[in-house]
Amino acid sequence: MENSKVWFVTGASKGIGLILTQKLLAQGQKVAATSRSEAGLIKAIGISSDNFLPLEMDLVDEKSVKNAIEKTINHFKTIDVLVNNAGYGLLGTLEELTDEEARKNYDVNVFGLLNVIRNTMPYMRANRSGHVFNISSVAGFYGGFPGWGIYCSTKFAVAGLTESFAAEVKSFGINVTLVYPGYFRTDFLTGSSLQLPANAIAAYKEVRESESAHTDTINGNQPGDPEKLADALIQMSGEENPALHLFLGQDAYDMANQKISSVQSDLEQWKTVSVSTGF
């Protein structure tokens, strides 16, 4: 394939990561794909080859991340596109989720992503090229979901660090895209990807209703096609001036506009208070 690239995709054994990896390999691209289980990757995608490198990697263990990056460089000599896709959902109120439950979500969704960036950047800087996709969520832009506060905050963190990261690496010729998916029909809302509080508080009726809605009604009926999401990422990787903020899904597009309108309304309504605080 012309313009073949080397991709490094985290969370590739299922969902969007798996579909993206399969599409890339079908197009003749080279892919290093990571998961907590190398056997799971091989079962889902196939054995190692000239174009495919399955890697067992623990996101929260920087030595494991560094080792996976080094194996990729040894195998493919470079990394052109990084897709930070691995993560999981956590549904529970701020009161009922324990410190341990909250920190684990940050360890994977935020600090794990940082481990990958930290160990990939030396190679992209040396090449003075590359493209990094950080997968956030529309819940990293619009937080009005009761029971999703910790998860939203991890994805807001990804959004904030990505905007700063894009400014840091622009002079090296590296593109960065912050991806805000809406609801896509993957296994994200199943038990393997969505965790619930160990000690739920029944008084939070809206949150318990949200749990039921997500696990019983929304799961399997999400409006977004993950095949088309993967296509959008591949398309964006070929753009000369790719998007920094990429909302995917009609629902994500609509929620983003709702948030923007709400912020604009507050800005104007309370402008006199906002601007009254200077010396």
Side-chain angles (χ1 to χ4, degrees):
M1 178 182 177
E2 291 186 8
N3 300 319
S4 178
K5 296 177 180 178
V6 176
W7 293 62
F8 188 93
V9 181
T10 70
S13 63
K14 58 186 178 181
I16 292 167
L18 173 59
I19 292 170
L20 175 62
T21 297
Q22 291 171 327
K23 281 183 174 287
L24 290 169
L25 291 172
Q27 293 180 10
Q29 305 275 13
K30 297 177 173 64
V31 185
T34 80
S35 175
R36 288 172 292 179
S37 168
E38 183 179 346
L41 283 168
I42 292 172
K43 182 179 180 180
I45 303 169
I47 61 173
S48 180
S49 67
D50 288 344
N51 279 14
F52 176 57
L53 180 65
L55 295 165
E56 189 165 307
M57 187 180 81
D58 182 354
L59 273 177
V60 302
D61 181 344
E62 187 158 12
K63 289 183 179 179
S64 176
V65 173
K66 181 178 178 64
N67 184 52
I69 297 293
E70 290 177 347
K71 285 183 177 179
T72 301
I73 297 299
N74 288 336
H75 192 83
F76 291 127
K77 309 307 178 188
T78 192
I79 295 173
D80 299 306
V81 185
L82 165 62
V83 182
N84 278 309
N85 166 70
Y88 71 92
L90 180 63
L91 203 172
T93 70
L94 300 187
E95 179 185 353
E96 65 197 0
L97 289 171
T98 65
D99 180 74
E100 181 181 10
E101 288 171 317
R103 287 179 185 274
K104 283 184 177 179
N105 205 212
Y106 269 85
D107 281 343
V108 173
N109 292 5
V110 181
F111 293 106
L113 176 145
L114 287 172
N115 284 339
V116 179
I117 289 175
R118 191 180 302 114
N119 286 280
T120 305
M121 281 309 301
Y123 302 101
M124 287 192 173
R125 279 195 299 106
N127 293 338
R128 300 193 71 82
S129 66
H131 194 156
V132 178
F133 289 91
N134 284 343
I135 310 298
S136 178
S137 164
V138 70
F141 186 81
Y142 177 92
F145 306 102
W148 291 89
I150 295 299
Y151 175 75
C152 284
S153 69
T154 69
K155 293 303 186 177
F156 267 80
V158 169
L161 68 87
T162 300
E163 290 183 351
S164 181
F165 176 55
E168 292 170 356
V169 301
K170 183 177 181 181
S171 63
F172 298 111
I174 299 167
N175 293 316
V176 178
T177 297
L178 171 59
V179 185
Y180 293 105
Y183 285 101
F184 279 82
R185 201 168 299 177
T186 68
D187 56 4
F188 180 75
L189 295 179
T190 64
S192 62
S193 296
L194 177 63
Q195 295 190 9
L196 302 177
N199 300 296
I201 299 173
Y204 285 103
K205 293 181 180 180
E206 288 183 346
V207 177
R208 302 288 80 82
E209 290 171 357
S210 179
E211 284 181 10
S212 297
H214 280 87
T215 57
D216 300 334
T217 305
I218 299 173
N219 186 31
N221 296 298
Q222 298 95 322
D225 183 346
E227 298 272 349
K228 293 178 180 177
L229 187 155
D231 289 338
L233 297 183
I234 295 170
Q235 175 189 339
M236 195 59 58
S237 73
E239 296 289 338
E240 184 176 353
N241 296 299
L244 171 56
H245 303 94
L246 181 63
F247 290 87
L248 294 178
Q250 182 70 52
D251 53 352
Y253 178 87
D254 291 342
M255 280 186 272
N257 273 314
Q258 182 180 342
K259 169 70 176 286
I260 291 167
S261 296
S262 176
V263 171
Q264 190 67 47
S265 175
D266 282 345
L267 277 171
E268 295 309 314
Q269 181 177 351
W270 301 105
K271 179 180 177 181
T272 55
V273 176
S274 296
V275 301
S276 70
T277 54
F279 285 104

